[in-house]
Amino acid sequence: MTHRVIAHIDMDAFFAAVEQRNDPRLKGQPVVVGADPKEGRGRGVVATCSYEARKFGIRSAQPISEAWRRCPQAVFVRGNYEAYSQESRVIKKIFEEFTPDIESISIDEAFLDLSGCYHFYQTPERTASAIKQRVYSQTGLIASIGVAPVKFVAKIASDFCKPDGLLVIAPQKVLSFLHPLAIEKLWGVGRKTQAILNQLGIRTIGDLAIFSRTKLVETLGASAGHLCDLANGIDPRPVEADESVGSVSHEYTFDKDEQNPEEVLKVLMTLTEKVSRRLRKNGLKGRTVSIKIRTQGFVTNTRSETLPRAVNLIDAIYPVARDLFQKFIQEQTGEMNRGVESNRSGICVRLIGVKVSRFEDDYVVDSLFADSCHVRQEYIQTAMDKIKDKFGEQAIRRGF
Ligand code: TTP
Ligand code: MG
């Protein structure tokens, strides 16, 4: 049986490492990137901190006031979102020198499928080591890399070997690596699931691997079957390469011409949701929103608008798409009234599509830098993405 060779690469203390590299005085210092601590009165949170700061118990998402209390002598930096984003692009370019099969997960994290290229470096370990060295020599930043035959094990491995780590889990070692680990290390086991599993006497991944699948599904529902598979090292999910095209779009053809604009708008909302989700999955934001409308007689119309800043959230994309559609309807109705078109019953839409293009910065974890409304929208959409990833496209929908 041939196994895949999948690497999970995650930069160490990413934002803080960029700060330390840019200012050598910060090397070896506890550095906290996040909101202004205002001598302990600051609101907001820690984005990340250097490993020196972690020794004081400082963590991502902790209130900045707590970070200050734990280590007032740390260097507190507000962060430079653009710089991190730029660095992320440079790192991704390095990955592309090794393989085109790259699935970006976040600003500092990606899966690479090395199955087709590791032979050039003889072994998976040497390939991963070459990537690590290349990243360091070009950026001065340190990546930790986990390599395994399946995705989730590669991710656990990179986390396990941090910082400055490289860990290759050979196929025959997957179970002996996984089984002693705490159950919460398993992808998809949050605090609630962990509590239930603990009540069932399951504390390690190994405990889960030998637990009755039927009993687990009875207790946790159908999705628990997936957890059993993971505990046994089974994860068929492939590395899904990022989109390399210049736009992301979705369209829908109605079974018969749709005359009710409200129905068309409902479809437009669903399509926009899909586009938004794909954009975010691929770390993209675009400035141009376009719609495509095919009316009776296969006449295809497009309308687009370019925004002052790049977007990928549905709340930013949908209103633009909706306004474009409504304007189009008004134009058409006006023309009909002037006798340009003979269709008296109103507009008949055969196909509707939405597209976002003119990509700009990669998507980064910018919640720190955005207003609170934007942050809420991000949380909601990320939660919706996770539900859809787990339970399918129909599992959750927006109200209109
Ligand atoms: P992580 O990879 O989770 O953290 P890290 O790179 O700082 O540290 P390590 O991987 O070594 O544990 O996140 C990458 C960057 O994303 C991080 O540097 C800052 C940002 N980030 C936030 O802004 N808020 C958060 O809550 C988290 C977890 C990360
Ligand atoms: Mg990281």
Side-chain angles (χ1 to χ4, degrees):
M1 183 178 167
T2 48
H3 293 279
R4 302 213 73 73
V5 176
I6 297 175
H8 179 264
I9 309 182
D10 190 304
M11 303 302 295
D12 291 346
F14 187 47
F15 293 3
V18 174
E19 297 298 336
Q20 286 182 317
R21 182 207 58 191
N22 291 352
D23 182 351
R25 287 171 305 175
L26 302 185
K27 287 233 164 74
Q29 300 288 324
V31 174
V32 180
V33 182
D36 185 349
K38 297 188 180 158
E39 307 207 320
R41 286 170 291 107
R43 298 180 68 190
V45 293
V46 173
T48 192
C49 60
S50 63
Y51 277 79
E52 293 84 354
R54 291 181 198 197
K55 291 187 192 141
F56 294 86
I58 301 176
R59 297 283 177 266
S60 290
Q62 197 170 60
I64 199 78
S65 52
E66 188 182 336
W68 171 271
R69 194 170 48 68
R70 286 177 178 273
C71 185
Q73 72 274 26
V75 181
F76 287 84
V77 200
R78 288 309 308 280
N80 181 348
Y81 164 94
E82 273 311 313
Y84 311 141
S85 188
Q86 169 61 21
E87 214 64 57
S88 177
R89 281 193 289 270
V90 171
I91 294 166
K92 193 159 166 210
K93 282 263 174 300
I94 297 173
F95 297 164
E96 283 167 1
E97 292 170 16
F98 289 82
T99 173
D101 298 321
I102 302 163
E103 179 180 343
S104 304
I105 302 296
S106 75
I107 188 167
D108 81 327
E109 184 189 355
F111 284 106
L112 272 61
D113 191 332
L114 303 176
S115 312
C117 72
Y118 78 84
H119 304 96
F120 296 120
Y121 301 85
Q122 290 158 357
T123 63
E125 181 146 16
R126 286 191 181 186
T127 317
S129 177
I131 297 172
K132 204 167 145 61
Q133 281 170 18
R134 185 90 177 79
V135 170
Y136 186 70
S137 64
Q138 198 169 328
T139 67
L141 301 169
I142 297 175
S144 289
I145 309 185
V147 181
V150 292
K151 270 169 112 173
F152 88 98
V153 178
K155 183 167 166 73
I156 295 178
S158 75
D159 189 48
F160 190 87
C161 67
K162 255 176 188 299
D164 198 6
L166 197 175
L167 180 59
V168 179
I169 310 291
Q172 66 277 17
K173 297 277 174 61
V174 165
L175 295 182
S176 58
F177 168 67
L178 278 181
H179 285 176
L181 300 177
I183 192 68
E184 60 270 27
K185 293 279 177 199
L186 210 56
W187 246 7
V189 175
R191 273 206 205 130
K192 263 191 171 170
T193 311
Q194 184 195 341
I196 298 169
L197 292 173
N198 287 168
Q199 270 173 5
L200 294 170
I202 301 168
R203 300 209 166 260
T204 64
I205 298 179
D207 293 340
L208 178 61
I210 54 168
F211 197 83
S212 153
R213 193 183 186 97
T214 322
K215 197 166 168 204
L216 200 74
V217 170
E218 271 169 22
T219 319
L220 281 171
S223 62
H226 176 59
L227 290 182
C228 291
D229 287 342
L230 295 184
N232 286 293
I234 301 164
D235 179 15
R237 286 171 290 191
V239 171
E240 289 179 25
D242 298 342
E243 315 253 354
S244 57
V245 288
S247 66
V248 169
S249 64
H250 276 280
E251 53 188 48
Y252 178 80
T253 306
F254 292 93
D255 292 337
K256 49 184 193 306
D257 293 346
E258 180 57 64
Q259 299 190 21
N260 182 351
E262 292 306 316
E263 290 303 316
V264 179
L265 283 176
K266 279 186 195 169
V267 173
L268 190 61
M269 168 64 102
T270 308
L271 296 172
T272 310
E273 261 183 353
K274 286 188 180 177
V275 167
S276 161
R277 189 157 159 244
R278 258 173 72 204
L279 284 169
R280 281 176 287 115
K281 201 166 167 21
N282 289 285
L284 299 167
K285 284 184 176 180
R287 281 187 57 198
T288 303
V289 177
S290 315
I291 60 162
K292 176 160 139 188
I293 309 137
R294 186 168 295 149
T295 48
Q296 250 183 346
F298 284 91
V299 183
T300 304
N301 305 270
T302 55
R303 297 287 183 273
S304 57
E305 186 174 334
T306 295
L307 306 169
R309 53 178 296 217
V311 295
N312 63 11
L313 294 180
I314 187 164
D315 299 82
I317 305 167
Y318 178 69
V320 181
R322 181 197 57 209
D323 291 354
L324 287 170
F325 177 71
Q326 284 172 338
K327 257 193 228 154
F328 172 78
I329 298 275
Q330 277 163 15
E331 283 167 26
Q332 297 293 308
T333 321
E335 289 195 351
M336 275 184 242
N337 291 343
R338 291 196 301 276
V340 172
E341 206 175 306
S342 58
N343 176 9
R344 290 181 171 276
S345 62
I347 192 78
C348 286
V349 177
R350 189 69 202 207
L351 173 149
I352 181 81
V354 60
K355 176 171 90 175
V356 173
S357 56
R358 272 190 74 168
F359 296 146
E360 281 190 357
D361 287 337
D362 289 13
Y363 174 59
V364 292
V365 188
D366 59 351
S367 43
L368 254 192
F369 309 90
D371 58 63
S372 63
C373 176
H374 188 89
V375 173
R376 259 205 320 275
Q377 284 172 9
E378 270 205 10
Y379 281 148
I380 293 168
Q381 296 210 355
T382 309
M384 285 177 72
D385 289 348
K386 283 190 180 150
I387 292 169
K388 286 185 175 196
D389 283 343
K390 204 161 171 189
F391 301 109
E393 202 57 46
Q394 303 302 322
I396 184 164
R397 301 174 141 268
R398 298 175 73 91
F400 287 96

